[in-house]
Amino acid sequence: MKAAQVATAAADLVGGDRKEAYGDVLLGLDRIALMWNGLLAIAGKAPKQPINAHDVAQMMVCLKQARAYTGPLRIDNHIDAAGWSSVAGEAASRIAEAS
């Protein structure tokens, strides 16, 4: 699969089915951040700065990168990493606009 095809597939996921299924990405990432911050606090591992939507998306990129090194090639890991990276960019932009 060529790079442009990976990017197109990622754009289709981010702007298509997943958006329809889960709604506004930033609101979803904010909910995840709240839950992860709560879990880390309960575990006694709260970070100095709370995790935000951008951090969640970046961690999802890392998850997909780690999976790409496990087992046989599954191109969806690369498509998902590209998608999460674009979501991280959107989250960072929207957070900057709000401040």
Side-chain angles (χ1 to χ4, degrees), residues 83-97:
W84 280 114
S85 184
S86 64
V87 166
E90 179 178 343
S93 295
R94 290 173 62 183
I95 291 167
E97 288 171 5

Side-chain angles (χ1 to χ4, degrees), residues 41-92:
I42 290 167
K45 299 177 181 181
K48 290 179 184 178
Q49 286 283 74
I51 293 166
N52 65 22
H54 176 254
D55 299 322
V56 171
Q58 290 288 61
M59 287 186 269
M60 293 305 295
V61 171
C62 291
L63 173 99
K64 290 301 182 171
Q65 289 173 332
R67 285 187 178 171
Y69 284 99
T70 305
L73 171 65
R74 289 188 173 83
I75 199 68
D76 68 303
N77 287 315
H78 299 282
I79 292 168
D80 288 348
W84 280 114
S85 184
S86 64
V87 166
E90 179 178 343

